[in-house]
């Protein structure tokens, strides 16, 4: 494990580097130059604490960042890619978060309710890997991608992680910011790098979060069209030929995904992840209050009734808010202060449902087709 100073320097580097890229994208040359140089300086400090091979790589990258900084003004003026940027983009693509994918420690038992969703996922993605001979015996169709859709905060990412944990697969969580680049052709290279990296694992899951931003409807933006085409080619390339690779998508806007991605052999199975029902909300409240000092007036059933229409993320926020005042009072008085229904009443007023009835109706209409 890296020591604290290395962790601190890593965070510091990432802060300067992201600030530099943002400033450059906004044509703020002086600010971009300053942050690129600070990122390079921090990287050199990291290099001193690194193994010989990593030291060399970090030193070389710092040199590239200095080169970018020195050419930034000319690049902005002429609307060109600054010298050194192409090599830096390639290096960054190769070292993205998916290079450090791991097997999550999230289980289906950690997820409230959603029994129908769990059954569909188990039938489509988990059992074919656990019992391939049974699926062959019954000639049961498996494979292809699965799209999880529904309101935000309903646990789609947790479900994806639980699948990876259940089958022992490396988990590659990918968002638009991991793939999309302002440079022509870079997004396609990032997508290719992602699939090549995942294919090399014994068993892997690629999870496309916010899939509507990655595979949006074509015909409006040429950059999006090229990105979608690359995704579809990669998906078609592994379908049936890479049994070690599973594909999952999640979205709050399924109607914005290009229809070609939802065809058979791609994301042909779409699973609706709704807002938690009463038993699921009860599970969430009991889990959040486990081990927490609570007053005698706390009624989980009443909390369940008050939280109708709330997402799992909303309930988590309500519980967190309800604990704030008792926690502060406990610190002040150095005694145990229980959470009361009054604390929850104030929390509910501060945290309304994040999903409107109109949004829920739209999801249900999409479900009906």
């Amino acid at each position: 494990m890296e020591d604290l100073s290395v962790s601190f320097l890593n965070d510091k580097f990432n802060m300067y580097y992201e600030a530099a890229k943002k400033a450059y994208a906004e044509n703020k040359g002086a600010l971009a130059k300053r942050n690129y140089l600070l990122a390079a300086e921090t990287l050199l400090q990291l290099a001193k604490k690194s193994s010989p091979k990593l030291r060399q790589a970090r030193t070389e990258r710092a040199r590239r960042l200095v080169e970018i900084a020195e050419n930034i003004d000319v690049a902005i003026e002429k609307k060109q890619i600054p010298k050194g940027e192409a090599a830096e983009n390639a290096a960054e693509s190769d070292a993205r978060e998916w290079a450090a994918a791991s097997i999550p420690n999230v289980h289906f038992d950690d997820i409230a309710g959603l029994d129908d969703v769990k059954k569909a996922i188990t039938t489509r993605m988990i059992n074919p890997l656990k019992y391939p001979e049974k699926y062959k015996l019954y000639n049961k169709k498996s494979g292809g991608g699965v799209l999880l859709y529904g309101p935000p905060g309903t646990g789609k990412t947790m479900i994806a992680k639980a699948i990876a944990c259940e089958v022992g697969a490396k988990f590659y969580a990918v968002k638009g910011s991991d793939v999309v680049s302002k440079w022509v052709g870079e997004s396609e290279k990032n997508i290719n790098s992602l699939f090549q990296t995942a294919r090399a694992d014994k068993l892997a899951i690629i999870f496309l979060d916010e899939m509507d931003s990655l595979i949006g409807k074509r015909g409006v933006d040429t950059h999006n069209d090229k990105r979608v085409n690359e995704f579809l080619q990669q998906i078609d390339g592994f379908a049936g030929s890479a049994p070690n690779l599973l594909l999952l998508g999640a979205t709050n806007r399924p109607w914005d995904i290009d229809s070609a991605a939802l065809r058979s052999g791609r994301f042909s199975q779409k699973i609706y992840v709704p807002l938690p029902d009463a038993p699921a909300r009860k599970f969430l409240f009991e889990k959040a209050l486990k081990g927490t000092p609570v007053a005698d007036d706390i009624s989980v059933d009443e909390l369940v009734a008050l939280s109708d229409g709330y997402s799992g993320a909303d309930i988590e926020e309500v519980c967190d808010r309800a604990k704030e005042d008792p926690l502060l009072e406990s610190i002040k008085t150095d005694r145990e202060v229980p959470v009361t229904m009054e604390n929850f009443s104030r929390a509910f007023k501060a945290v309304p449902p994040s999903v409107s009835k109109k949004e829920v109706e739209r999801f249900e209409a999409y479900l009906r087709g």
Side-chain angles (χ1 to χ4, degrees):
M1 182 179 291
E2 291 182 314
D3 61 36
L4 182 61
S5 61
V6 170
S7 178
F8 172 76
L9 288 172
N10 263 314
D11 291 342
K12 191 176 176 183
F13 166 76
N14 288 327
M15 178 186 70
Y16 287 137
Y17 185 60
E18 292 303 320
K21 291 196 297 181
K22 183 175 184 292
Y24 177 64
E26 296 172 352
N27 293 325
K28 298 176 181 177
L31 183 59
K33 181 175 182 178
R34 178 175 179 273
N35 280 294
Y36 270 125
L37 290 174
L38 287 169
E41 180 184 343
T42 307
L43 204 56
L44 288 174
Q45 292 176 306
L46 270 168
K48 293 177 182 178
K49 298 175 177 289
S50 307
S51 63
K53 186 174 181 180
L54 188 54
R55 184 185 305 125
Q56 182 179 351
R58 283 174 167 166
T59 302
E60 175 59 23
R61 191 177 185 192
R63 183 196 64 75
R64 285 198 304 272
L65 294 178
V66 171
E67 186 176 33
I68 292 169
E70 290 175 345
N71 290 277
I72 206 92
D73 291 329
V74 174
I76 288 176
E77 183 181 347
K78 295 185 177 181
K79 296 185 173 14
Q80 296 175 340
I81 298 176
K83 190 176 181 182
E85 180 79 13
E88 173 60 17
N89 281 342
E92 187 185 3
S93 296
D94 291 340
R96 288 178 183 273
E97 287 184 12
W98 54 68
S102 59
I103 300 173
N105 186 28
V106 177
H107 303 269
F108 276 144
D109 290 343
D110 300 322
I111 300 170
L114 301 176
D115 291 339
D116 290 344
V117 173
K118 292 174 185 176
K119 180 181 178 181
I121 287 291
T122 300
T123 303
R124 184 65 180 244
M125 302 197 82
I126 294 175
N127 282 347
L129 292 170
K130 286 189 168 183
Y131 313 104
E133 69 288 347
K134 297 291 185 183
Y135 274 67
K136 185 176 180 181
L137 175 64
Y138 285 89
N139 194 26
K140 178 73 176 75
K141 184 179 179 181
S142 62
V146 172
L147 175 67
L148 305 173
Y149 73 94
T154 50
K156 294 183 287 295
T157 300
M158 279 193 71
I159 292 170
K161 289 182 177 179
I163 295 168
C165 178
E166 187 71 20
V167 299
K170 290 284 188 71
F171 187 72
Y172 293 84
V174 185
K175 291 187 177 183
S177 57
D178 297 322
V179 170
V180 178
S181 171
K182 61 182 179 292
W183 306 124
V184 176
E186 283 301 316
S187 296
E188 294 91 306
K189 289 181 182 178
N190 293 339
I191 295 165
N192 181 66
S193 170
L194 165 66
F195 276 83
Q196 291 299 326
T197 302
R199 278 192 183 98
D201 286 314
K202 183 178 179 181
L203 183 60
I205 287 179
I206 292 178
F207 175 58
L208 303 179
D209 200 3
E210 300 171 6
M211 191 169 139
D212 51 286
S213 69
L214 289 164
I215 311 181
K217 288 183 177 179
R218 288 173 290 182
V220 178
D221 175 38
T222 55
H223 293 292
N224 172 72
D225 292 354
K226 290 179 180 179
R227 184 170 65 249
V228 172
N229 290 337
E230 180 65 26
F231 262 119
L232 296 180
Q233 288 177 22
Q234 291 291 340
I235 294 168
D236 292 342
F238 92 78
S241 63
N244 64 317
L245 187 58
L246 302 176
L247 195 60
L248 268 171
T251 181
N252 305 328
R253 302 184 62 82
W255 40 81
D256 287 341
I257 295 174
D258 192 89
S259 58
L262 305 178
R263 292 175 186 166
S264 179
R266 292 171 179 171
F267 289 90
S268 54
Q269 177 146 1
K270 298 180 285 294
I271 298 176
Y272 178 47
V273 185
L275 292 172
D277 58 12
R281 298 199 302 278
K282 185 173 183 179
F283 173 92
L284 289 169
F285 279 112
E286 290 176 342
K287 182 179 179 182
L289 293 175
K290 186 177 181 180
T292 301
V294 296
D296 292 338
D297 69 341
I298 286 290
S299 168
V300 173
D301 289 337
E302 186 176 345
L303 294 176
V304 170
L306 289 169
S307 61
D308 186 26
Y310 279 66
S311 70
D314 294 337
I315 290 172
E316 186 177 339
E317 178 65 18
V318 165
C319 292
D320 197 53
R321 292 285 188 98
K323 295 174 184 177
E324 283 181 359
D325 286 343
L327 171 63
L328 293 173
E329 183 66 19
S330 178
I331 293 171
K332 183 179 178 180
T333 62
D334 195 25
R335 63 183 178 83
E336 189 175 279
V337 179
V339 180
T340 67
M341 283 300 291
E342 177 60 27
N343 295 132
F344 269 105
S345 178
R346 289 197 291 268
F348 274 113
K349 289 178 182 177
V351 184
S354 60
V355 182
S356 68
K357 290 184 179 180
K358 188 175 181 180
E359 289 175 290
V360 172
E361 289 171 0
R362 187 173 186 183
F363 281 112
E364 291 175 348
Y366 182 84
L367 173 64
R368 293 191 297 270

